[in-house]
Amino acid sequence: MQQIVQQFLNDIYRTTWPEFIAVVTGIASVVYSRRENILVYPVGMISTGIFIFLYIEHGLYADASVNFYYTVMSIAGWYMWSKKVRQPAAPGAAPTGERALKITASTKKEWLQGILFFLCCWAVLYIVLKHFTDSTVPIADSFTSGAAFTGMWLMNKKKLENWTWWIITDLASVPLNFYKHLVFTSFQYLIFLILAIMGYITWRKKILHGDT
C-alpha cells in the first residue's frame, strides 16, 4: 500500500499540462453527454486529440487508436445529434426545433450486435498489439479499447446502453492507466465511472418519462 501511495504521489507530481487539459476536457465532455448537450463533441475532441499522443508516448497503442476513433466519430456524432426534424409534408421546408435523433433502449438484436462488435474489436486489436507492437499489456489495452469503440458507436446513436459500455471501459481503464503511470488519467476514469452510472440513470429516466 505504501508503494502504491508513493507511486500515486510521484506520478501526480509528473503530470504534464497536456494531460491535465485532456483530463479536464474529457470530464467536461462526459458531463455534457449526460445532459444530452451537443457540446459533448467539440469539447471531447480536444481531450481525444491530446490523448492520441499521450497514449502513443506511454505504449498504449490500442487506446491511442480508440482516441483517434473518438475524434473521427465525434464529427459524425456532432452531425447526427444536431440534425433536426423536417416537416413531413414539405420536403423543402426548414427544420423544426425538434431533434431527429432520440434516446432509445437497445432491442435484443441490437444488444447482440453490440456484443459481437465488441468481441471483433477486442480480437482484432489484441492480434495487432500482440504481433505488431511492443505493448506490454495487449489483453487489457485491447479490452478497454474494444469496449470504448462500442460505447462511442452506441452514443452516436443515442442508445441507453452506451453508458453500460462506458462503465465497462472505465472499470478496466482505472488500473490500466495507473499501471502505466498515467495516474491523473486513472483518476479521470474513476470520475468517468461515477458520471457514466449517473448518465445511465438520467437517460433511463428520460426514456421512462418520454422526455427523449
Side-chain angles (χ1 to χ4, degrees):
M1 179 59 69
Q2 184 178 357
Q3 185 178 357
I4 293 174
V5 172
Q6 189 60 47
Q7 179 185 329
F8 176 81
L9 294 174
N10 290 341
D11 289 339
I12 281 290
Y13 179 75
R14 296 192 188 102
T15 298
T16 62
W17 273 107
E19 184 181 355
F20 180 80
I21 295 170
V23 168
V24 171
T25 53
I27 291 173
S29 71
V30 177
V31 173
Y32 283 129
S33 179
R34 179 193 167 207
R35 295 176 179 175
E36 203 183 349
N37 190 311
I38 200 168
L39 285 176
V40 57
Y41 291 111
V43 174
M45 287 169 69
I46 297 173
S47 178
T48 59
I50 295 173
F51 270 122
I52 291 172
F53 298 99
L54 285 177
Y55 279 133
I56 290 175
E57 182 182 352
H58 287 79
L60 292 171
Y61 304 114
D63 277 326
S65 70
V66 83
N67 275 274
F68 177 76
Y69 168 80
Y70 287 160
T71 305
V72 174
M73 289 293 285
S74 289
I75 298 172
W78 198 343
Y79 169 75
M80 292 169 69
W81 279 37
S82 62
K83 194 174 181 181
K84 304 295 183 181
V85 174
R86 292 184 179 275
Q87 297 288 355
T96 66
E98 186 179 355
R99 292 188 296 266
L101 193 63
K102 298 182 181 296
I103 297 172
T104 57
S106 295
T107 62
K108 183 181 292 186
K109 180 181 178 181
E110 289 171 332
W111 253 112
L112 291 174
Q113 289 174 340
I115 293 172
L116 181 61
F117 182 78
F118 161 70
L119 291 174
C120 289
C121 289
W122 187 9
V124 171
L125 289 169
Y126 172 75
I127 292 170
V128 171
L129 292 176
K130 181 69 174 178
H131 298 286
F132 300 102
T133 75
D134 59 352
S135 175
T136 57
V137 284
I139 295 177
D141 195 9
S142 56
F143 177 87
T144 57
S145 299
F149 269 95
T150 310
M152 188 71 185
W153 175 47
L154 294 176
M155 190 183 85
N156 277 5
K157 298 167 68 176
K158 281 195 179 179
K159 290 295 181 181
L160 170 67
E161 290 71 22
N162 88 89
W163 293 110
T164 303
W165 289 101
W166 289 130
I167 290 169
I168 294 170
T169 302
D170 300 335
L171 283 170
S173 294
V174 170
L176 177 60
N177 282 274
F178 188 86
Y179 174 75
K180 281 294 184 175
H181 301 286
L182 289 168
V183 173
F184 199 51
T185 302
S186 178
F187 175 73
Q188 169 196 242
Y189 278 105
L190 183 60
I191 300 298
F192 280 176
L193 176 60
I194 297 170
L195 291 175
I197 294 171
M198 294 170 64
Y200 182 91
I201 294 171
T202 299
W203 281 31
R204 179 70 177 170
K205 285 180 179 178
K206 286 188 175 185
I207 291 175
L208 292 175
H209 298 156
D211 184 24
T212 60

